[in-house]
Amino acid sequence: MNFQYWNPQIEKMPRPELEALQLEKLKAEIGHALRTPFYKSRLGSVGIKSPDEIKTLDDLKKIPFTTKHDLREGFPYGFLSIPKEEVVRLHASSGTTGIPTTIYFNQDDIKRWTGYVARCIFGTGCDKHDVFQNMITYGLFTGGLGFHQGGEEIGMLVIPSGAGNTARQFKLMQDFGTTVLHATPSFLLHVESKMREAGIKRESLALKRAFAGAEPYSEDTRRRIENLLHIDVYNSYGLSEMNGPGVAFECQCKNGLHIWEDGYIAEIINPDTLEPVKDGETGELVLTVLCREATPILRYRTRDLTAFYTEPCACGRTHRRLRRITGRSDDMLIINGVNVFPSQIEEVIMGIKEVGNNYLIVVEKEGVLDRLTVKTEVGADIFMDDARPLNALKERIRETLQASISISPRVELHESGSLPVSEGKAVRVKDTRPKDV
Ligand code: ADP
Ligand code: ZN
C-alpha cells in the first residue's frame, strides 16, 4: 500500500526521540498549568512548583488525575492559563453525561489542533482533489469546526453542511461530487436508509471514504456502512477536553487508532485501582494534552475504555495504537445484577444481516425486576406483514443476545426508518428506572 504521511518526520519518529519530545513538551505544558488557578493549587499540593521538577516521563505519575468533576468545579476560568484577551475561541463538550465543560484556545492552539486533524485526514489518502462534506454539528461541539479546519488545511473543498436534513445532504453530494464524508456512524447508517428510500443510486455518487466517530460503534457496524455505501470508513476519536477530533485516528491499515503522541500522552489505567494496566489489557484512557497553551489539562480521566495494541503498525508510524473504544466506564447497565455494556448489544445485532440500520435499548422497572427490551429496525427488504419469518428472526436475535449478555431480552422489530434518529450523538439507551439517590 502506498501510505501517505502529512508529517513523516514526526509520524515515523523513532520512539526514543518521540519520548524525548514528549518530555520537553510536558515540561512546557506544566509551565502553562502552573499559571492556572486550578493546577497552581493541585500541583502545589504534591510539591510541584516548577516544570524543572519533571525530569523523566515517569514523573508524570506524581501528578494527580484530573476528572470531569474538576473541570466543572473550575468553570468558567479555573483552567485558563493566559490573559483573556489572548483567547480567540472556546468550545464545549456535548454534555452527554452532564454539564458541558469549556475549553479555550489561543491562535497557536487552533493552528496546532488543525495540524493534528489534517494529519489524520491526509493519512487516509485524502488530498486537495477531494470534496469533503462535513455532516456533523457545527457550533460549540468540536467535531464541526475541527474537521472543517483540518480539511481546509490539506486543501480539500470543504462543504460545511452540518448534521441532519438528508435530502439536502444528497443534493450537495450530487451537485458537488462529494468524495469524503464525516458523520457519526449512526447518521451514516441513517443516510444510507434514506438514500435507498429516495431511490438514489449509489453509483450516481462519487463517495470514496468516510470518517466516523464521536460515539462508540462496533467493527460490524463499520463493515455494514462500508458494504452498503461502498466506501472506506475510518474511525475517528477525540474529545473536547483534548481539543476535539485529531487525538487518535485509523491509518489505512484500519486496525487500531494511532494516538498522536507528540500532542498527547496516553496512559491506560484500571478504573478501580487507578494503577496502569498491562500492555494489551483494557482499561480507562487517561490523557495529557501537550499541544495547548490556553487550557492545559493533565492526566485527564476520559472514562473511555480501550487498550493499547502491542505490535507495531504496518504503515510505519511509531505512535501507538488504541483499540476501538467500546464505550465509557459509566455506560455500563446493571440489569438484575448482571453487567451489560450497550456495545455488547450492538455487536450482536449489527452482525445479523436481516437487522436494519437503527436500534434502541430500553431498560424499565417491572415490579421489582429490571426489564431489558431491544428494539431493532429490520432491513428495508423485509416485509412487515409476514409474521412467520419475523418471529423466527426475533427469536434468533433473542437467543444470540442471551448467549452474549446472559440476559434474555424482549426483542421488538420495527419497520426500517421508524426508530428515532438524533442529529448529534445517537441516544442508544433509554433507561427509565428510578435513580437511587
Ligand atoms: P461528551 O463527553 O459530552 O460526549 P465530547 O463531545 O467531547 O463530549 O465527546 C467526546 C466523547 O465522545 C469521548 O470521550 C468518547 O466517549 C466519545 N467518542 C468520541 N469519538 C469516539 C469514537 N471514535 N469511538 C467511541 N467513542 C467516541
Ligand atoms: Zn498505521
Side-chain angles (χ1 to χ4, degrees), residues 365-384:
K365 203 89 193 158
E366 232 175 47
V368 291
L369 290 179
D370 301 325
R371 159 71 86 176
L372 169 68
T373 306
V374 177
K375 303 182 176 193
T376 80
E377 289 183 3
V378 293
D381 42 356
I382 293 184
F383 288 112
M384 288 304 284

Side-chain angles (χ1 to χ4, degrees), residues 1-8 11 119 121-128 130 154 209 251-252 315 317:
M1 201 180 278
N2 222 349
F3 295 113
Q4 203 167 271
Y5 311 96
W6 182 245
N7 188 340
E11 289 172 55
R119 187 192 293 183
I121 299 178
F122 196 72
T124 66
C126 292
D127 61 25
K128 63 179 188 177
D130 281 298
I154 70 170
R209 54 180 81 87
C251 66
Q252 283 170 302
C315 74
R317 290 180 177 84

Side-chain angles (χ1 to χ4, degrees), residues 96 216 330-335 340-346 358-364 371-374 420 425-433 435:
T96 310
D330 41 7
D331 277 347
M332 192 177 75
L333 297 165
I334 304 179
I335 300 171
V340 178
F341 278 97
S343 58
Q344 290 175 286
I345 297 181
E346 169 172 331
N358 199 359
Y359 70 93
L360 181 68
I361 298 165
V362 181
V363 192
E364 299 152 300
R371 159 71 86 176
L372 169 68
T373 306
V374 177
K425 296 173 191 246
V427 182
R428 295 299 199 191
V429 179
K430 207 167 125 194
D431 191 343
T432 62
R433 293 175 295 182
K435 301 263 174 298

Side-chain angles (χ1 to χ4, degrees), residues 3 249-256 258 312-317 319 321:
F3 295 113
F249 216 82
E250 282 180 326
C251 66
Q252 283 170 302
C253 299
K254 290 201 266 183
N255 182 19
H258 288 283
C313 187
C315 74
R317 290 180 177 84
H319 301 239
R321 283 170 300 152

Side-chain angles (χ1 to χ4, degrees), residues 68 93-96 141 214-216 235-236 238-240 304 328 425:
K68 204 148 193 141
S93 68
S94 313
T96 310
F141 176 60
E215 63 190 22
N235 195 349
S236 155
L239 59 163
S240 60
D304 292 329
R328 310 191 202 219
K425 296 173 191 246

Side-chain angles (χ1 to χ4, degrees), residues 138-156:
Y138 277 66
L140 286 177
F141 176 60
T142 52
L145 279 171
F147 266 88
H148 185 106
Q149 296 161 175
E152 284 187 352
E153 179 75 6
I154 70 170
M156 304 198 290

Side-chain angles (χ1 to χ4, degrees), residues 111-277:
K111 281 189 199 131
R112 280 186 287 260
W113 175 29
T114 301
Y116 287 102
V117 182
R119 187 192 293 183
C120 299
I121 299 178
F122 196 72
T124 66
C126 292
D127 61 25
K128 63 179 188 177
H129 303 286
D130 281 298
V131 178
F132 175 45
Q133 194 162 322
N134 198 15
M135 306 194 297
I136 207 134
T137 316
Y138 277 66
L140 286 177
F141 176 60
T142 52
L145 279 171
F147 266 88
H148 185 106
Q149 296 161 175
E152 284 187 352
E153 179 75 6
I154 70 170
M156 304 198 290
L157 191 170
V158 182
I159 309 177
S161 62
N165 197 343
T166 46
R168 185 152 166 275
Q169 302 283 5
F170 297 143
K171 180 96 174 61
L172 292 167
M173 288 179 205
Q174 287 165 327
D175 287 351
F176 303 109
T178 301
T179 57
V180 184
L181 302 172
H182 171 222
T184 57
S186 50
F187 191 66
L188 286 172
L189 284 170
H190 177 63
V191 160
E192 195 278 329
S193 303
K194 288 284 166 196
M195 204 182 261
R196 223 166 338 145
E197 225 176 271
I200 296 169
K201 291 265 172 304
R202 167 61 186 90
E203 306 77 65
S204 69
L205 302 172
L207 300 177
K208 286 194 292 206
R209 54 180 81 87
F211 312 128
E215 63 190 22
Y217 60 115
S218 64
E219 194 56 42
D220 275 319
T221 299
R222 181 232 294 274
R223 242 174 273 132
R224 180 180 277 256
I225 304 171
E226 291 192 323
N227 294 338
L228 289 171
L229 287 173
H230 312 293
I231 52 175
D232 279 310
V233 173
Y234 293 91
N235 195 349
S236 155
Y237 171 77
L239 59 163
S240 60
E241 293 82 355
M242 295 290 131
N243 292 334
V247 176
F249 216 82
E250 282 180 326
C251 66
Q252 283 170 302
C253 299
K254 290 201 266 183
N255 182 19
L257 298 88
H258 288 283
I259 165 128
W260 302 125
E261 294 182 90
D262 58 318
Y264 304 91
I265 296 180
E267 304 168 75
I268 299 180
I269 60 164
N270 175 319
D272 299 321
T273 64
L274 306 184
E275 290 299 320
V277 298

